[in-house]
Amino acid sequence: MRGVCTRSGSLSAADFYASAIYFSQRWNETNSDFPNWVWIPCSRLGAISEDEGYLVLEKIKLQTERNDSNLEELNNCDSSANDDLTDEATLVDVHSHDAHLYDLHIAYSFTYKVPVLYFRGYKSDGCHLSLDEIKEELPSHSVEILQKSKWTFMTQEEHPYLNTPWYTLHPCGTGDWMKLLLSSTSYGENISLIQYLPAWLSVIGQTVGLRVPLELYSRS
């Protein structure tokens, strides 16, 4: 595989596809107890294309330590954040009748040339969660990230392939912090595509309670 340009922190659409396929395969191989990431071939122009589409992880539950002050803190948030926090949250299959389930999609931004996380939550009866309800369930450190972040904030946008409103973490600063992340890791200039999505998701996932297993960082 080709290397990722750490000078820009971005990647091409073809590189995103290659990284996404490898990432989903590695995730599914090393996380048998977790739901699978699945690649959905699609095209914004209507005709199905194998190398254009998005990754899907659906019907999962975020297990987090609830903080009663989360919602109040986020309502006072000025869309700012800290990119150096960690979390103990994880994802599991859920069968509870009253569970809140989440769908996570990763698509490529042709504008910013980086991955973008789209997500939505819903109740067992299928009713979608409001942004306030989603924020209330976030891990406590995710609240801090969104409060102080200079690189991302939650917003609602149209899903690029489904044409329906989804919540998303805005990618305007992704290239900048990925440049810093990739250049500061042990991979250095030798960072390859197979590490791009795990590295990206290790940061982005913190804001929604998703922890990337360490096995995904190994090179194989």
Side-chain angles (χ1 to χ4, degrees):
M1 281 188 171
R2 290 163 289 171
V4 171
C5 180
T6 59
R7 289 172 295 178
S8 66
S10 62
L11 74 173
S12 68
D15 287 346
F16 169 74
Y17 169 72
S19 183
I21 295 301
Y22 183 87
F23 167 77
S24 62
Q25 290 174 345
R26 284 286 293 159
W27 175 283
N28 300 342
E29 289 170 359
T30 59
N31 295 279
S32 59
D33 293 334
F34 281 36
N36 288 346
W37 282 99
V38 178
W39 176 258
I40 305 297
C42 195
S43 173
R44 294 179 301 169
L45 300 178
I48 295 179
S49 171
E50 285 298 325
D51 58 359
E52 183 181 350
Y54 55 99
L55 281 171
V56 170
L57 180 68
E58 297 189 330
K59 296 182 180 179
I60 48 85
K61 181 174 184 272
L62 296 176
Q63 285 192 331
T64 64
E65 295 182 5
R66 293 290 296 276
N67 184 327
D68 292 338
S69 63
N70 280 1
L71 183 58
E72 180 179 353
E73 291 175 6
L74 275 169
N75 284 337
N76 295 326
C77 176
D78 62 356
S79 297
S80 310
N82 183 350
D83 59 357
D84 191 30
L85 296 169
T86 57
D87 184 36
E88 295 303 320
T90 187
L91 289 171
V92 294
D93 283 306
V94 148
H95 304 287
S96 173
H97 178 68
D98 59 352
H100 289 174
L101 303 180
Y102 286 82
D103 295 339
L104 306 179
H105 290 186
I106 300 175
Y108 180 74
S109 169
F110 288 87
T111 300
Y112 294 99
K113 302 185 185 307
V114 294
V116 183
L117 178 67
Y118 293 87
F119 60 95
R120 65 181 180 183
Y122 46 94
K123 303 174 184 178
S124 56
D125 60 5
C127 292
H128 288 178
L129 298 177
S130 68
L131 185 56
D132 281 346
E133 289 174 311
I134 291 175
K135 288 176 178 179
E136 188 178 23
E137 293 195 333
L138 290 175
S140 57
H141 83 266
S142 297
V143 175
E144 297 178 58
I145 291 175
L146 290 167
Q147 280 183 313
K148 302 173 184 178
S149 178
K150 297 179 181 179
W151 51 262
T152 192
F153 56 91
M154 283 187 181
T155 185
Q156 190 174 55
E157 294 184 358
E158 187 175 272
H159 192 291
Y161 296 101
L162 301 181
N163 300 318
T164 54
W166 283 59
Y167 295 112
T168 184
L169 297 171
H170 201 278
C172 58
T174 300
D176 290 336
W177 63 257
M178 277 300 293
K179 173 185 174 181
L180 294 174
L181 179 64
L182 297 178
S183 63
S184 66
T185 65
S186 59
Y187 300 117
E189 291 297 327
N190 296 319
I191 183 74
S192 67
L193 289 174
I194 62 175
Q195 284 91 36
Y196 189 96
L197 274 182
W200 170 81
L201 199 56
S202 71
V203 177
I204 286 293
Q206 293 182 45
T207 59
V208 293
L210 174 62
R211 183 176 55 188
V212 178
L214 293 177
E215 292 85 352
L216 267 69
Y217 294 103
S218 63
R219 306 188 207 188
S220 61

